[in-house]
Amino acid sequence: MDSDQGGSDDLRTRLHAMESKLSRVRGQRDSHNDSAKRAADQRNSAQTKRNEVQENITSRMDEQKKVRAQAKIHQTSRDEIQQSIREIFSRKKGTRDQGPGKSVVIQLSETVGEIERIEDRIMTDGALTLEKENSLIKKLRSLISRRDELIPHVEQQRIVSIDLSDMDESIQTLRAEADNEHKLMLEQNVLADEIWSEIKPLFEERDFLRGEGDRLHALFLEERKKADDAHQGVVELLSKVNEIRSEIRSQHEERDRLVKDHNNSVRQALRGPDENEELAESLSDKLLGGESITFGGIVSTDSKEPNPEKTKPKRKPRKLGTTRGRKN
């Protein structure tokens, strides 16, 4: 029993040490899980902020593109006007350009001038034959159609209409318009540069948040791995703890069984003949078989000496409380 008790104490000591270590490893696992959760929350916050910054960058970039596009329109208008000025100078020198290389403003001015001349001739020339008049009307319709095609281009490029009959005035007008378009182009480019100066810090912030998100994600993975490793340790320790608990329980059950068996043996040894079922059955079989049964020890008949304690006469009890029959 002493060796069993010593073994049980040793198991309890081991169990206490295992349970302490199990509690410590569980605490480590929970700590790593908490750290992983904090890293994940910070990572998600950084990613959300980065997405917001990216949306702001996209919005400002779209705004800048529109400003650049407007600057391009003014630049195109300026170039077109300057081309018209060069063509008017060529006209003044007597070297008129022909074909599709003309600027739209020159093409429109020439078309409008031709329309006006044909309309004036039809209205004022009484010597026109019907055939000639029909030919002029047909040409007039073609010119009007051409004019309607050119007008949207001129309006889109913010180019003013000019009168080619006064070339010097037209040149001055076009120069003023070209200068204005150039000014507007510069203003739009300056505005686009200002927008870009506001966008650049956003790129830096976005890149920083991206790097921070990556760092926090790496930290999250690291803490999760530590938590998983600690959890594996918890599982292994818990298995050992359960083994020790099972062994202690088995020892307790064995000890209880031994104590119970011992108690049963003692009770069996202390039972009287009347409580011994086997003895009772044996005696019953003998009696039924006609055998004699002797209970207790045999007293010798040669001993005639009486037992003094047994042969001593008993004193009669004295009667008290009566004087009846007494003589004086």
Side-chain angles (χ1 to χ4, degrees), residues 67-204:
V67 173
R68 293 288 189 195
Q70 189 64 39
K72 188 66 177 178
I73 291 174
H74 291 304
Q75 180 182 357
T76 303
S77 298
R78 179 204 63 188
D79 295 343
E80 188 71 25
I81 294 172
Q82 289 175 344
Q83 177 64 24
S84 299
I85 294 173
R86 288 192 293 271
E87 291 176 1
I88 293 175
F89 272 116
S90 297
R91 282 174 174 269
K92 286 184 66 176
K93 295 177 180 179
T95 57
R96 296 180 57 182
D97 294 333
Q98 303 292 332
K102 296 179 181 179
S103 65
V104 291
V105 65
I106 295 297
Q107 294 179 47
L108 179 60
S109 298
E110 291 179 347
T111 301
V112 171
E114 187 67 18
I115 290 173
E116 291 176 351
R117 284 193 295 271
I118 292 176
E119 288 179 345
D120 183 67
R121 183 176 179 185
I122 292 174
M123 295 293 295
T124 59
D125 190 354
L128 289 175
T129 62
L130 182 60
E131 182 180 358
K132 183 62 176 178
E133 183 177 351
N134 290 336
S135 176
L136 290 174
I137 292 174
K138 184 177 180 180
K139 185 176 181 180
L140 179 63
R141 289 175 179 172
S142 177
L143 290 171
I144 292 174
S145 177
R146 176 61 179 163
R147 179 198 63 187
D148 294 340
E149 291 177 0
L150 293 172
I151 287 176
H153 294 284
V154 173
E155 292 177 350
Q156 180 181 2
Q157 298 179 13
R158 303 170 60 90
I159 300 174
V160 296
S161 177
I162 58 174
D163 182 7
L164 292 179
S165 61
D166 189 349
M167 293 186 180
D168 291 336
E169 180 65 23
S170 296
I171 290 173
Q172 293 300 323
T173 302
L174 290 174
R175 279 179 174 172
E177 187 65 19
D179 291 343
N180 184 60
E181 291 296 325
H182 182 71
K183 177 182 177 182
L184 293 175
M185 180 198 70
L186 294 178
E187 290 176 355
Q188 293 299 310
N189 284 330
V190 170
L191 179 58
D193 292 340
E194 291 176 354
I195 295 174
W196 175 250
S197 65
E198 296 173 359
I199 292 175
K200 283 183 66 177
L202 296 178
F203 278 114
E204 296 174 359

Side-chain angles (χ1 to χ4, degrees), residues 239-252:
S239 177
K240 295 179 180 179
V241 166
N242 289 334
E243 289 178 2
I244 296 176
R245 287 175 177 171
S246 177
E247 188 173 352
I248 292 175
R249 184 165 54 251
S250 297
Q251 288 186 357
H252 284 174

Side-chain angles (χ1 to χ4, degrees), residues 258-285:
L258 292 175
V259 171
K260 184 177 180 181
D261 292 345
H262 175 73
N263 291 337
N264 289 336
S265 299
V266 172
R267 282 195 297 270
Q268 185 71 21
L270 294 176
R271 284 191 304 177
D274 57 334
E275 296 176 348
N276 193 326
E277 295 180 358
E278 295 179 357
L279 179 59
E281 291 179 358
S282 175
L283 293 176
S284 298
D285 292 339

Side-chain angles (χ1 to χ4, degrees), residues 39 42-43 46-47 208-218:
Q42 293 173 355
R43 176 203 62 192
Q47 289 178 344
F208 169 77
L209 291 171
R210 178 185 294 155
E212 188 68 6
D214 293 341
R215 183 187 69 81
L216 291 169
H217 182 66

Side-chain angles (χ1 to χ4, degrees), residues 251-314:
Q251 288 186 357
H252 284 174
E253 292 174 353
E254 180 65 17
R255 187 181 299 113
D256 292 341
R257 186 186 65 79
L258 292 175
V259 171
K260 184 177 180 181
D261 292 345
H262 175 73
N263 291 337
N264 289 336
S265 299
V266 172
R267 282 195 297 270
Q268 185 71 21
L270 294 176
R271 284 191 304 177
D274 57 334
E275 296 176 348
N276 193 326
E277 295 180 358
E278 295 179 357
L279 179 59
E281 291 179 358
S282 175
L283 293 176
S284 298
D285 292 339
K286 289 182 178 182
L287 289 174
L288 292 175
E291 299 180 15
S292 61
I293 301 175
T294 301
F295 295 95
I298 300 175
V299 179
S300 175
T301 57
D302 295 337
S303 178
K304 301 297 184 177
E305 185 179 352
N307 190 334
E309 294 181 358
K310 291 184 179 180
T311 58
K312 186 178 181 181
K314 296 181 180 179

